[in-house]
């Protein structure tokens, strides 16, 4: 069966779905590895200069606020992307929309994580390191899954139209 056909059944194309999800997962892993490399390099550069005082300077608090805002904004971006993008007509289109949806969320979260990394370089205290670790862990937790894909596509399809049936794997 062709995954570009309008009436494609999900169960018949699990192999193709898994391939595209694998590509999305590779993108996520590459993004997380890049963030981890940046954090490790930053930590190595500033390791001997890190202090515990003053812990709450304006730059550090800006990093904390920006990281929290990035996490919240990633949900806002996801909501508006799902709300204003056209429902996919095929499973292939649904997979590509899911991939775009994930990349948008990750990019927003990564922006906050990288700002925390730069704050580690400039502020040289322990709080940006903690913020970096927590934000990077949140980015890691956004690993793409079949369940999330099903959830996103289930809410995207138009029930009266029934362009393609969504069934669990």
């Amino acid at each position: 069966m062709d995954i570009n056909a309008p009436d494609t059944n999900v169960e018949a194309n699990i192999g193709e779905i898994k391939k595209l999800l694998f590509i999305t997962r590779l993108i996520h892993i590459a993004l997380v590895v890049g963030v981890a490399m940046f954090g490790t390099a930053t930590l190595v550069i500033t390791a001997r200069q890190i202090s515990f005082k003053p812990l709450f300077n304006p730059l550090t608090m800006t990093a904390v606020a920006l990281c929290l805002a990035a996490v919240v904004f990633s949900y806002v971006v996801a909501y508006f992307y799902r709300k204003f993008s056209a429902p996919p007509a095929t499973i292939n289109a649904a997979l590509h929309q899911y991939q775009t949806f994930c990349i948008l969320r990750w990019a927003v979260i990564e922006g906050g994580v990288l700002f925390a990394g730069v704050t580690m370089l400039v502020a040289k205290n322990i709080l940006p390191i903690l913020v970096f670790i927590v934000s990077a862990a949140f980015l890691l937790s956004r690993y793409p899954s079949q369940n999330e894909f099903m959830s996103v596509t289930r809410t995207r399809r138009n029930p009266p139209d029934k362009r393609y049936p969504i069934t669990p794997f």
Side-chain angles (χ1 to χ4, degrees), residues 130-155:
L130 298 174
V131 171
F132 183 91
I133 291 169
V134 169
S135 298
F138 182 75
L139 178 64
L140 183 63
S141 76
R142 299 289 78 209
Y143 187 75
S145 68
Q146 290 178 354
N147 290 338
E148 186 181 46
F149 167 70
M150 297 301 288
S151 172
V152 169
T153 51
R154 189 173 291 122
T155 59

PDB file of all heavy atoms in Angstrom, residues 130-155:
ATOM      1  N   LEU A 130      22.483  24.275  36.977  1.00  0.00           N
ATOM      2  CA  LEU A 130      21.286  23.512  37.368  1.00  0.00           C
ATOM      3  C   LEU A 130      20.136  23.752  36.390  1.00  0.00           C
ATOM      4  O   LEU A 130      19.434  22.817  35.999  1.00  0.00           O
ATOM      5  CB  LEU A 130      20.879  23.872  38.794  1.00  0.00           C
ATOM      6  CG  LEU A 130      21.915  23.556  39.879  1.00  0.00           C
ATOM      7  CD1 LEU A 130      21.453  24.089  41.227  1.00  0.00           C
ATOM      8  CD2 LEU A 130      22.204  22.079  39.931  1.00  0.00           C
ATOM      9  N   VAL A 131      19.970  25.018  36.001  1.00  0.00           N
ATOM     10  CA  VAL A 131      18.909  25.353  35.039  1.00  0.00           C
ATOM     11  C   VAL A 131      19.186  24.661  33.707  1.00  0.00           C
ATOM     12  O   VAL A 131      18.275  24.118  33.071  1.00  0.00           O
ATOM     13  CB  VAL A 131      18.806  26.887  34.863  1.00  0.00           C
ATOM     14  CG1 VAL A 131      17.888  27.247  33.717  1.00  0.00           C
ATOM     15  CG2 VAL A 131      18.328  27.527  36.148  1.00  0.00           C
ATOM     16  N   PHE A 132      20.435  24.664  33.279  1.00  0.00           N
ATOM     17  CA  PHE A 132      20.819  24.000  32.041  1.00  0.00           C
ATOM     18  C   PHE A 132      20.492  22.509  32.106  1.00  0.00           C
ATOM     19  O   PHE A 132      19.903  21.954  31.170  1.00  0.00           O
ATOM     20  CB  PHE A 132      22.317  24.199  31.775  1.00  0.00           C
ATOM     21  CG  PHE A 132      22.784  23.609  30.476  1.00  0.00           C
ATOM     22  CD1 PHE A 132      22.783  24.364  29.327  1.00  0.00           C
ATOM     23  CD2 PHE A 132      23.212  22.288  30.405  1.00  0.00           C
ATOM     24  CE1 PHE A 132      23.212  23.821  28.117  1.00  0.00           C
ATOM     25  CE2 PHE A 132      23.629  21.738  29.212  1.00  0.00           C
ATOM     26  CZ  PHE A 132      23.632  22.509  28.065  1.00  0.00           C
ATOM     27  N   ILE A 133      20.857  21.870  33.200  1.00  0.00           N
ATOM     28  CA  ILE A 133      20.624  20.432  33.341  1.00  0.00           C
ATOM     29  C   ILE A 133      19.133  20.102  33.340  1.00  0.00           C
ATOM     30  O   ILE A 133      18.688  19.179  32.648  1.00  0.00           O
ATOM     31  CB  ILE A 133      21.313  19.896  34.619  1.00  0.00           C
ATOM     32  CG1 ILE A 133      22.829  19.948  34.433  1.00  0.00           C
ATOM     33  CG2 ILE A 133      20.852  18.482  34.950  1.00  0.00           C
ATOM     34  CD1 ILE A 133      23.618  19.689  35.703  1.00  0.00           C
ATOM     35  N   VAL A 134      18.351  20.873  34.082  1.00  0.00           N
ATOM     36  CA  VAL A 134      16.905  20.625  34.139  1.00  0.00           C
ATOM     37  C   VAL A 134      16.261  20.864  32.767  1.00  0.00           C
ATOM     38  O   VAL A 134      15.431  20.074  32.304  1.00  0.00           O
ATOM     39  CB  VAL A 134      16.242  21.490  35.233  1.00  0.00           C
ATOM     40  CG1 VAL A 134      14.732  21.452  35.132  1.00  0.00           C
ATOM     41  CG2 VAL A 134      16.706  21.034  36.604  1.00  0.00           C
ATOM     42  N   SER A 135      16.647  21.949  32.095  1.00  0.00           N
ATOM     43  CA  SER A 135      16.080  22.249  30.775  1.00  0.00           C
ATOM     44  C   SER A 135      16.492  21.209  29.743  1.00  0.00           C
ATOM     45  O   SER A 135      15.679  20.803  28.903  1.00  0.00           O
ATOM     46  CB  SER A 135      16.525  23.638  30.317  1.00  0.00           C
ATOM     47  OG  SER A 135      16.048  24.615  31.194  1.00  0.00           O
ATOM     48  N   ALA A 136      17.744  20.768  29.793  1.00  0.00           N
ATOM     49  CA  ALA A 136      18.202  19.729  28.867  1.00  0.00           C
ATOM     50  C   ALA A 136      17.472  18.406  29.140  1.00  0.00           C
ATOM     51  O   ALA A 136      17.137  17.676  28.201  1.00  0.00           O
ATOM     52  CB  ALA A 136      19.712  19.550  28.981  1.00  0.00           C
ATOM     53  N   ALA A 137      17.211  18.117  30.406  1.00  0.00           N
ATOM     54  CA  ALA A 137      16.450  16.908  30.746  1.00  0.00           C
ATOM     55  C   ALA A 137      15.021  16.997  30.210  1.00  0.00           C
ATOM     56  O   ALA A 137      14.460  16.003  29.732  1.00  0.00           O
ATOM     57  CB  ALA A 137      16.440  16.691  32.257  1.00  0.00           C
ATOM     58  N   PHE A 138      14.434  18.188  30.275  1.00  0.00           N
ATOM     59  CA  PHE A 138      13.085  18.363  29.713  1.00  0.00           C
ATOM     60  C   PHE A 138      13.118  18.163  28.200  1.00  0.00           C
ATOM     61  O   PHE A 138      12.231  17.516  27.637  1.00  0.00           O
ATOM     62  CB  PHE A 138      12.523  19.746  30.058  1.00  0.00           C
ATOM     63  CG  PHE A 138      11.130  19.944  29.535  1.00  0.00           C
ATOM     64  CD1 PHE A 138      10.055  19.342  30.157  1.00  0.00           C
ATOM     65  CD2 PHE A 138      10.908  20.696  28.402  1.00  0.00           C
ATOM     66  CE1 PHE A 138       8.765  19.489  29.662  1.00  0.00           C
ATOM     67  CE2 PHE A 138       9.626  20.856  27.903  1.00  0.00           C
ATOM     68  CZ  PHE A 138       8.556  20.252  28.528  1.00  0.00           C
ATOM     69  N   LEU A 139      14.145  18.702  27.544  1.00  0.00           N
ATOM     70  CA  LEU A 139      14.294  18.494  26.102  1.00  0.00           C
ATOM     71  C   LEU A 139      14.420  17.008  25.800  1.00  0.00           C
ATOM     72  O   LEU A 139      13.789  16.504  24.867  1.00  0.00           O
ATOM     73  CB  LEU A 139      15.520  19.261  25.585  1.00  0.00           C
ATOM     74  CG  LEU A 139      15.837  19.103  24.107  1.00  0.00           C
ATOM     75  CD1 LEU A 139      14.711  19.673  23.245  1.00  0.00           C
ATOM     76  CD2 LEU A 139      17.147  19.793  23.780  1.00  0.00           C
ATOM     77  N   LEU A 140      15.196  16.293  26.589  1.00  0.00           N
ATOM     78  CA  LEU A 140      15.360  14.862  26.411  1.00  0.00           C
ATOM     79  C   LEU A 140      14.022  14.128  26.603  1.00  0.00           C
ATOM     80  O   LEU A 140      13.725  13.160  25.895  1.00  0.00           O
ATOM     81  CB  LEU A 140      16.398  14.317  27.395  1.00  0.00           C
ATOM     82  CG  LEU A 140      16.738  12.844  27.299  1.00  0.00           C
ATOM     83  CD1 LEU A 140      17.360  12.517  25.941  1.00  0.00           C
ATOM     84  CD2 LEU A 140      17.688  12.457  28.412  1.00  0.00           C
ATOM     85  N   SER A 141      13.201  14.609  27.516  1.00  0.00           N
ATOM     86  CA  SER A 141      11.909  13.955  27.776  1.00  0.00           C
ATOM     87  C   SER A 141      10.904  14.132  26.642  1.00  0.00           C
ATOM     88  O   SER A 141       9.891  13.450  26.603  1.00  0.00           O
ATOM     89  CB  SER A 141      11.296  14.474  29.081  1.00  0.00           C
ATOM     90  OG  SER A 141      10.754  15.760  28.890  1.00  0.00           O
ATOM     91  N   ARG A 142      11.169  15.016  25.725  1.00  0.00           N
ATOM     92  CA  ARG A 142      10.279  15.252  24.592  1.00  0.00           C
ATOM     93  C   ARG A 142      10.569  14.292  23.444  1.00  0.00           C
ATOM     94  O   ARG A 142      10.260  14.575  22.288  1.00  0.00           O
ATOM     95  CB  ARG A 142      10.406  16.698  24.080  1.00  0.00           C
ATOM     96  CG  ARG A 142      10.061  17.781  25.081  1.00  0.00           C
ATOM     97  CD  ARG A 142       8.587  17.905  25.412  1.00  0.00           C
ATOM     98  NE  ARG A 142       8.192  16.852  26.335  1.00  0.00           N
ATOM     99  CZ  ARG A 142       6.986  16.320  26.426  1.00  0.00           C
ATOM    100  NH1 ARG A 142       6.021  16.736  25.681  1.00  0.00           N
ATOM    101  NH2 ARG A 142       6.724  15.374  27.282  1.00  0.00           N
ATOM    102  N   TYR A 143      11.130  13.145  23.747  1.00  0.00           N
ATOM    103  CA  TYR A 143      11.445  12.118  22.753  1.00  0.00           C
ATOM    104  C   TYR A 143      10.175  11.725  22.000  1.00  0.00           C
ATOM    105  O   TYR A 143       9.136  11.469  22.623  1.00  0.00           O
ATOM    106  CB  TYR A 143      12.048  10.904  23.470  1.00  0.00           C
ATOM    107  CG  TYR A 143      12.575   9.834  22.569  1.00  0.00           C
ATOM    108  CD1 TYR A 143      13.774  10.015  21.894  1.00  0.00           C
ATOM    109  CD2 TYR A 143      11.888   8.640  22.404  1.00  0.00           C
ATOM    110  CE1 TYR A 143      14.277   9.023  21.073  1.00  0.00           C
ATOM    111  CE2 TYR A 143      12.386   7.646  21.582  1.00  0.00           C
ATOM    112  CZ  TYR A 143      13.579   7.844  20.915  1.00  0.00           C
ATOM    113  OH  TYR A 143      14.070   6.871  20.100  1.00  0.00           O
ATOM    114  N   PRO A 144      10.232  11.688  20.675  1.00  0.00           N
ATOM    115  CA  PRO A 144       9.020  11.366  19.904  1.00  0.00           C
ATOM    116  C   PRO A 144       8.590   9.913  20.096  1.00  0.00           C
ATOM    117  O   PRO A 144       9.427   9.014  20.145  1.00  0.00           O
ATOM    118  CB  PRO A 144       9.433  11.637  18.461  1.00  0.00           C
ATOM    119  CG  PRO A 144      10.908  11.602  18.452  1.00  0.00           C
ATOM    120  CD  PRO A 144      11.372  11.973  19.825  1.00  0.00           C
ATOM    121  N   SER A 145       7.299   9.721  20.201  1.00  0.00           N
ATOM    122  CA  SER A 145       6.787   8.365  20.410  1.00  0.00           C
ATOM    123  C   SER A 145       5.593   8.102  19.504  1.00  0.00           C
ATOM    124  O   SER A 145       4.956   9.024  18.998  1.00  0.00           O
ATOM    125  CB  SER A 145       6.355   8.190  21.865  1.00  0.00           C
ATOM    126  OG  SER A 145       5.221   8.981  22.136  1.00  0.00           O
ATOM    127  N   GLN A 146       5.303   6.836  19.325  1.00  0.00           N
ATOM    128  CA  GLN A 146       4.138   6.455  18.529  1.00  0.00           C
ATOM    129  C   GLN A 146       2.857   6.926  19.211  1.00  0.00           C
ATOM    130  O   GLN A 146       1.922   7.348  18.541  1.00  0.00           O
ATOM    131  CB  GLN A 146       4.108   4.946  18.323  1.00  0.00           C
ATOM    132  CG  GLN A 146       5.182   4.448  17.403  1.00  0.00           C
ATOM    133  CD  GLN A 146       5.163   2.929  17.260  1.00  0.00           C
ATOM    134  OE1 GLN A 146       4.422   2.242  17.936  1.00  0.00           O
ATOM    135  NE2 GLN A 146       6.001   2.424  16.377  1.00  0.00           N
ATOM    136  N   ASN A 147       2.826   6.859  20.532  1.00  0.00           N
ATOM    137  CA  ASN A 147       1.627   7.300  21.251  1.00  0.00           C
ATOM    138  C   ASN A 147       1.375   8.788  21.044  1.00  0.00           C
ATOM    139  O   ASN A 147       0.233   9.208  20.851  1.00  0.00           O
ATOM    140  CB  ASN A 147       1.752   6.993  22.740  1.00  0.00           C
ATOM    141  CG  ASN A 147       1.679   5.518  23.025  1.00  0.00           C
ATOM    142  OD1 ASN A 147       1.144   4.752  22.233  1.00  0.00           O
ATOM    143  ND2 ASN A 147       2.228   5.108  24.151  1.00  0.00           N
ATOM    144  N   GLU A 148       2.440   9.595  21.102  1.00  0.00           N
ATOM    145  CA  GLU A 148       2.268  11.036  20.873  1.00  0.00           C
ATOM    146  C   GLU A 148       1.834  11.297  19.437  1.00  0.00           C
ATOM    147  O   GLU A 148       0.969  12.123  19.186  1.00  0.00           O
ATOM    148  CB  GLU A 148       3.557  11.785  21.188  1.00  0.00           C
ATOM    149  CG  GLU A 148       3.395  13.286  21.104  1.00  0.00           C
ATOM    150  CD  GLU A 148       4.678  14.040  21.381  1.00  0.00           C
ATOM    151  OE1 GLU A 148       5.734  13.656  20.839  1.00  0.00           O
ATOM    152  OE2 GLU A 148       4.609  15.012  22.134  1.00  0.00           O
ATOM    153  N   PHE A 149       2.428  10.568  18.499  1.00  0.00           N
ATOM    154  CA  PHE A 149       2.020  10.705  17.095  1.00  0.00           C
ATOM    155  C   PHE A 149       0.539  10.391  16.939  1.00  0.00           C
ATOM    156  O   PHE A 149      -0.203  11.134  16.294  1.00  0.00           O
ATOM    157  CB  PHE A 149       2.856   9.810  16.191  1.00  0.00           C
ATOM    158  CG  PHE A 149       2.283   9.665  14.806  1.00  0.00           C
ATOM    159  CD1 PHE A 149       2.304  10.730  13.922  1.00  0.00           C
ATOM    160  CD2 PHE A 149       1.692   8.483  14.403  1.00  0.00           C
ATOM    161  CE1 PHE A 149       1.762  10.612  12.647  1.00  0.00           C
ATOM    162  CE2 PHE A 149       1.154   8.353  13.132  1.00  0.00           C
ATOM    163  CZ  PHE A 149       1.188   9.416  12.253  1.00  0.00           C
ATOM    164  N   MET A 150       0.112   9.294  17.554  1.00  0.00           N
ATOM    165  CA  MET A 150      -1.301   8.918  17.468  1.00  0.00           C
ATOM    166  C   MET A 150      -2.186   9.983  18.114  1.00  0.00           C
ATOM    167  O   MET A 150      -3.240  10.316  17.601  1.00  0.00           O
ATOM    168  CB  MET A 150      -1.530   7.551  18.127  1.00  0.00           C
ATOM    169  CG  MET A 150      -0.798   6.412  17.444  1.00  0.00           C
ATOM    170  SD  MET A 150      -1.242   6.202  15.722  1.00  0.00           S
ATOM    171  CE  MET A 150      -2.869   5.535  15.915  1.00  0.00           C
ATOM    172  N   SER A 151      -1.742  10.523  19.229  1.00  0.00           N
ATOM    173  CA  SER A 151      -2.507  11.562  19.912  1.00  0.00           C
ATOM    174  C   SER A 151      -2.628  12.808  19.048  1.00  0.00           C
ATOM    175  O   SER A 151      -3.701  13.390  18.933  1.00  0.00           O
ATOM    176  CB  SER A 151      -1.840  11.901  21.243  1.00  0.00           C
ATOM    177  OG  SER A 151      -2.445  13.014  21.824  1.00  0.00           O
ATOM    178  N   VAL A 152      -1.523  13.215  18.450  1.00  0.00           N
ATOM    179  CA  VAL A 152      -1.533  14.411  17.604  1.00  0.00           C
ATOM    180  C   VAL A 152      -2.405  14.193  16.385  1.00  0.00           C
ATOM    181  O   VAL A 152      -3.228  15.034  16.040  1.00  0.00           O
ATOM    182  CB  VAL A 152      -0.095  14.809  17.195  1.00  0.00           C
ATOM    183  CG1 VAL A 152      -0.102  15.866  16.106  1.00  0.00           C
ATOM    184  CG2 VAL A 152       0.675  15.307  18.401  1.00  0.00           C
ATOM    185  N   THR A 153      -2.266  13.053  15.708  1.00  0.00           N
ATOM    186  CA  THR A 153      -3.057  12.814  14.504  1.00  0.00           C
ATOM    187  C   THR A 153      -4.513  12.523  14.827  1.00  0.00           C
ATOM    188  O   THR A 153      -5.387  12.868  14.052  1.00  0.00           O
ATOM    189  CB  THR A 153      -2.481  11.661  13.657  1.00  0.00           C
ATOM    190  OG1 THR A 153      -2.290  10.535  14.493  1.00  0.00           O
ATOM    191  CG2 THR A 153      -1.200  12.066  13.002  1.00  0.00           C
ATOM    192  N   ARG A 154      -4.782  11.933  15.972  1.00  0.00           N
ATOM    193  CA  ARG A 154      -6.166  11.678  16.347  1.00  0.00           C
ATOM    194  C   ARG A 154      -6.921  12.991  16.550  1.00  0.00           C
ATOM    195  O   ARG A 154      -8.068  13.123  16.169  1.00  0.00           O
ATOM    196  CB  ARG A 154      -6.228  10.828  17.609  1.00  0.00           C
ATOM    197  CG  ARG A 154      -7.629  10.351  17.927  1.00  0.00           C
ATOM    198  CD  ARG A 154      -7.645   9.364  19.079  1.00  0.00           C
ATOM    199  NE  ARG A 154      -7.029   8.110  18.668  1.00  0.00           N
ATOM    200  CZ  ARG A 154      -5.981   7.563  19.267  1.00  0.00           C
ATOM    201  NH1 ARG A 154      -5.432   8.135  20.304  1.00  0.00           N
ATOM    202  NH2 ARG A 154      -5.479   6.430  18.839  1.00  0.00           N
ATOM    203  N   THR A 155      -6.260  13.970  17.134  1.00  0.00           N
ATOM    204  CA  THR A 155      -6.923  15.254  17.345  1.00  0.00           C
ATOM    205  C   THR A 155      -6.931  16.094  16.086  1.00  0.00           C
ATOM    206  O   THR A 155      -7.676  17.041  15.993  1.00  0.00           O
ATOM    207  CB  THR A 155      -6.230  16.052  18.469  1.00  0.00           C
ATOM    208  OG1 THR A 155      -4.869  16.268  18.109  1.00  0.00           O
ATOM    209  CG2 THR A 155      -6.322  15.331  19.790  1.00  0.00           C
TER     210      THR A 155
END
